Amino acid sequence: MVNPSHPGNVGSAARAIKTMGFSELVLVAPKFPDVTSQPEAVALASGALDVLEGAQVYDSLEAALAPVTLAFALTARVRDLGPPPCDIRQAAELARGHLADTAEGVAAVVLGTERAGLTNAQIALCHRICHIPANPEYSSLNVAQALQLAAWELRYALLAAAGAPLLPASTAQEPARGAAPASGEAVQAFLAHWEEALVGVGFLDPAHPKKLMPRMRHLFTRLELSRDEVDMMRGVCTAMLKKSRNGQ
């Protein structure tokens, strides 16, 4: 983050990158030398104080980028001169490939000030210009929000390439017994009960059944009923029969 002026954005940035699994936050000539200990920064870091407190501070962008081998200048404005442009997803893929192919590779996303963004001179220090394809009529993003998007895209690219799971791990214990598929025997017993109930309520005429039960069998077989569902439907059958007998 180059010349950050709002401590809150620095704290939010720390939180944004930690949620995506990153921990290296670099600040270039912040407005407040003690920005990482400012109350607003601490409050908005919320759970990411380790990232905030470990932020590296440099006097110049040149110094900050010294160890970096692939830098992306994140900007909303089109530049006539400067490094080649790419969108944020392409940048993530480029960074992933670079880190995989370069043993000592270091990738960085560079963001400018909240009001003016990066200067042409600052962009010239980077290898690529990076854009977020936002609403062209209102493309302004808070720097912490922009950093969150960049961190998310990079995390997704890294996880996908590694074949890592993209969904959160289930906290459920062993699946409930009732959720297991019902046995063929249980389904056939239910269908017999179901036929009895349909006759009981007068929906099915045994003398003229037509194709009602074969169609019902196809329907329930296609549904792949669970044990709980079979038990539930057996309960419905029992209630239907009880109702029909009480009405007689």
Side-chain angles (χ1 to χ4, degrees):
M1 298 179 72
V2 180
N3 305 130
S5 60
H6 299 298
N9 280 338
V10 175
S12 295
R15 183 177 182 180
I17 65 172
K18 184 171 182 177
T19 60
M20 294 298 116
F22 302 106
S23 60
E24 294 186 41
L25 179 63
V26 177
L27 310 176
V28 176
K31 180 178 180 180
F32 300 100
D34 62 343
V35 64
T36 58
S37 60
Q38 289 276 323
E40 189 177 0
V42 172
L44 290 178
S46 184
L49 283 179
D50 54 333
V51 175
L52 181 64
E53 293 170 353
Q56 302 173 58
V57 181
Y58 290 88
D59 293 331
S60 68
L61 182 57
E62 290 89 343
L65 291 178
V68 174
T69 54
L70 181 60
F72 297 93
L74 194 58
T75 177
R77 289 187 291 151
V78 176
R79 312 288 175 136
D80 294 330
L81 295 175
C86 62
D87 66 38
I88 190 67
R89 187 154 295 179
Q90 292 170 326
E93 283 297 330
L94 288 169
R96 180 202 59 76
H98 179 76
L99 295 175
D101 297 338
T102 310
E104 298 181 355
V106 178
V109 176
V110 182
L111 302 95
T113 64
E114 290 89 341
R115 295 185 61 184
L118 293 167
T119 66
N120 289 334
Q122 290 166 342
I123 288 177
L125 298 173
C126 300
H127 302 90
R128 299 291 293 262
I129 290 175
C130 180
H131 298 288
I132 293 174
N135 177 5
E137 296 180 2
Y138 187 67
S139 61
S140 176
L141 276 171
N142 171 275
V143 290
Q145 294 172 332
L147 186 55
Q148 178 84 75
L149 287 173
W152 152 245
E153 289 290 351
L154 184 54
R155 177 175 178 81
Y156 192 95
L158 291 170
L159 289 178
L166 299 174
L167 296 177
S170 173
T171 57
Q173 302 299 317
E174 294 183 5
R177 180 179 179 276
S183 67
E185 181 182 10
V187 173
Q188 293 307 314
F190 152 63
L191 287 170
H193 200 179
W194 180 246
E195 182 174 1
E196 181 187 0
L198 293 179
V199 172
V201 298
F203 188 81
L204 173 62
D205 182 357
H208 303 283
K210 299 182 180 180
K211 295 183 178 180
L212 180 60
M213 280 312 299
R215 288 174 176 169
M216 289 283 187
R217 290 178 184 277
H218 288 313
L219 168 63
F220 287 113
T221 301
R222 188 169 67 246
L223 291 178
E224 299 181 354
L225 297 171
S226 69
R227 293 177 179 179
D228 280 347
E229 290 166 341
V230 165
D231 290 344
M232 176 183 66
M233 292 305 298
R234 293 293 296 269
V236 172
C237 295
T238 299
M240 290 167 66
L241 288 168
K242 182 178 180 180
K243 185 72 175 179
S244 67
R245 290 163 185 159
N246 290 339
Q248 291 178 351

